């Protein structure tokens, strides 16, 4: 498949068949730990078994608590949550507090699962608060029991996506603030490429890979797939009307990117009856033999939710409470 054909395959939304129902939803979950927030899937398939890690809480939106859950699937479409969820809880991080934006890779050479994630903590003064986002790392033999080194790997990040190209060659794309004391809004406008010999010690490129613009005011949660020499990076963008949806950029080398801001790669439906009417976000794309699988977080157009204290609360921007899936055939 030529470069142009690959670009069309990934960027034409009509080639994605989205499921009408979410994979998981906080509104229907039988597990109490994720009945308010439920989002941010990262998925791998090992030996025919699909494994998903995702975030959730049961207190309120926009709080400092967030736990990590785990689920398995035989077909990538129908999922069973692990009965002992959450597998990692708020405060299990070595520094900061909440789990955010996990990315899991199965290292075939080492026969281990590796996870890069963000630990959030607030610091600074009352008149200039700073939400610090620290890159963390963990390893696991089975995807459920994790060992977490005590020190963060990098002081500024959001939404890591890591590819391993062989021994001593890791690449990561991640949101990062240009300066150490920049706030979270600056971080959400820049995606950088990082390189590492071991997945632990990272060097950031001098220039960002992708930058937000006036119409796409943020570019967050990058996910990169390489196929036949073509790199595609999906990420979420804020656009007019309070809508957030998935766009993409393409590259021949992973360094120089062509943005495709003229249309979303996977739009929010804007339909009040759809679970993904307001947001499609945190993309995770799996190259799965004869198809691609796109997992994503979703917000519907509702603003009300039941908080953990038994009250009904309002979140005017909507609630991350669904995980969706879409498929696209490989021709």
């Amino acid at each position: 498949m030529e470069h142009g054909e690959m670009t069309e395959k990934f960027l034409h939304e009509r080639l994605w068949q989205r499921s009408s129902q979410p994979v998981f939803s906080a509104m229907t979950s039988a597990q109490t730990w994720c009945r308010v927030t439920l989002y941010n899937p990262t998925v791998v398939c090992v030996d025919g078994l699909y494994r998903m890690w995702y975030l959730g809480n049961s207190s309120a939106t926009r709080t400092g608590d967030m736990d990590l859950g785990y689920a398995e699937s035989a077909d990538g479409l129908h999922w069973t949550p692990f009965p002992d969820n959450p597998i990692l809880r708020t405060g299990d991080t070595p520094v900061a507090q909440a789990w955010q934006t996990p990315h899991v890779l199965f290292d075939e050479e080492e026969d281990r699962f590796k996870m890069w994630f963000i630990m959030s903590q607030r610091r600074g003064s009352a008149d200039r608060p700073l939400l610090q986002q620290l890159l963390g790392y963990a390893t696991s033999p089975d995807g459920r029991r994790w060992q977490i080194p005590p020190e963060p790997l990098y002081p500024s990040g959001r939404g890591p996506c890591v590819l391993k190209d062989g021994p001593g060659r890791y690449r990561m794309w991640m949101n990062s603030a240009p300066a150490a004391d920049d706030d979270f809004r600056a971080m959400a406008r820049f995606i950088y490429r990082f390189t590492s010999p071991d997945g632990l010690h990272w060097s950031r490129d001098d220039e960002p890979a992708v930058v937000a613009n006036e119409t796409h005011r943020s570019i967050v949660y990058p996910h990169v797939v390489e196929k036949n020499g073509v790199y595609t990076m999906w990420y979420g963008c804020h656009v007019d009307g309070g809508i957030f949806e998935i766009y993409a950029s393409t590259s021949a080398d992973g360094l120089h990117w062509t943005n495709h801001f003229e249309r979303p790669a996977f739009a929010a439906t804007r339909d009040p009856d759809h679970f993904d009417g307001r947001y499609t976000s945190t993309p995770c794309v799996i190259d799965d033999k004869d198809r691609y699988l796109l997992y994503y977080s979703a917000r519907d157009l509702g603003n009300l939710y039941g908080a953990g204290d038994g009250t009904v609360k309002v979140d005017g921007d909507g609630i991350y409470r669904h995980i969706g899936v879409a498929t696209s055939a490989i021709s």
Side-chain angles (χ1 to χ4, degrees):
M1 189 177 291
E2 299 296 329
H3 182 281
E5 293 177 294
M6 285 296 297
T7 300
E8 290 297 303
K9 165 59 70 176
F10 282 129
L11 301 184
H12 263 311
E13 185 186 2
R14 61 181 173 80
L15 297 177
W16 290 104
Q17 301 298 314
R18 74 177 80 200
S19 175
S20 62
Q21 299 297 320
V23 170
F24 289 123
S25 173
M27 301 176 75
T28 58
S29 174
Q31 297 192 330
T32 59
W33 69 278
C34 57
R35 287 185 176 169
V36 171
T37 303
L38 192 157
Y39 81 124
N40 211 149
T42 176
V43 178
V44 299
C45 183
V46 180
D47 296 330
L49 180 65
Y50 298 82
R51 306 165 189 258
M52 178 190 295
W53 297 262
Y54 56 102
L55 300 175
N57 76 2
S58 59
S59 56
T61 61
R62 309 183 196 283
T63 64
D65 62 319
M66 198 65 66
D67 300 331
L68 185 73
Y70 173 76
E72 293 182 346
S73 171
D75 62 4
L77 301 175
H78 304 91
W79 291 84
T80 301
F82 185 54
D84 293 333
N85 277 336
I87 58 172
L88 291 168
R89 296 179 179 273
T90 300
D92 287 341
T93 54
V95 296
Q97 184 180 24
W99 296 91
Q100 289 292 345
T101 61
H103 172 82
V104 176
L105 175 153
F106 180 69
D107 191 320
E108 295 183 358
E109 294 174 321
E110 300 181 23
D111 193 31
R112 295 187 72 79
F113 295 92
K114 298 181 176 181
M115 176 169 60
W116 291 263
F117 58 92
I118 297 301
M119 304 171 282
S120 298
Q121 69 178 0
R122 296 188 181 276
R123 54 187 290 267
S125 61
D127 60 339
R128 195 176 189 277
L130 178 65
L131 179 62
Q132 190 171 24
Q133 308 272 280
L134 307 169
L135 178 65
Y137 174 74
T139 62
S140 171
D142 58 10
R144 299 187 300 274
R145 298 167 294 145
W146 292 89
Q147 295 180 328
I148 309 169
E151 298 298 327
L153 307 186
Y154 200 82
S156 170
R158 184 80 169 181
C161 176
V162 178
L163 301 183
K164 184 179 182 182
D165 299 325
R169 182 171 169 81
Y170 290 81
R171 286 178 292 173
M172 174 173 67
W173 290 265
M174 180 173 70
N175 284 100
S176 187
D181 60 349
D182 284 338
D183 64 15
F184 178 77
R185 289 170 295 181
M187 185 184 303
R189 294 183 59 82
F190 298 92
I191 295 172
Y192 285 88
R193 190 196 70 151
F194 297 72
T195 56
S196 171
D198 55 12
L200 299 173
H201 303 88
W202 293 94
S203 298
R204 191 178 79 176
D205 289 348
D206 291 335
E207 298 298 324
V210 183
V211 180
N213 61 21
E214 292 184 0
T215 58
H216 299 73
R217 299 185 296 277
S218 64
I219 45 166
V220 202
Y221 314 122
H223 184 86
V224 176
V225 170
E226 187 273 331
K227 179 77 170 181
N228 297 336
V230 179
Y231 293 81
T232 305
M233 180 194 299
W234 289 268
Y235 43 79
C237 290
H238 282 101
V239 296
D240 289 340
I243 299 297
F244 190 94
E245 47 200 357
I246 296 170
Y247 283 77
S249 299
T250 52
S251 172
D253 57 10
L255 286 171
H256 307 92
W257 294 86
T258 299
N259 302 327
H260 302 277
F261 288 150
E262 66 276 7
R263 63 185 177 193
F266 194 79
T269 66
R270 295 166 169 79
D271 189 319
D273 295 327
H274 289 180
F275 72 92
D276 52 2
R278 191 195 310 250
Y279 269 41
T280 55
S281 181
T282 70
C284 176
V285 177
I286 304 298
D287 181 353
D288 189 40
K289 297 179 182 177
D290 59 348
R291 62 178 179 174
Y292 298 102
L293 290 164
L294 166 61
Y295 300 94
Y296 62 100
S297 304
R299 295 187 188 183
D300 54 56
L301 287 166
N303 296 321
L304 300 177
Y305 69 94
D309 61 5
T311 65
V312 175
K313 293 187 181 295
V314 178
D315 188 323
D317 292 325
I319 305 103
Y320 271 131
R321 53 187 172 195
H322 313 285
I323 291 174
V325 64
T327 61
S328 180
I330 298 177
S331 57

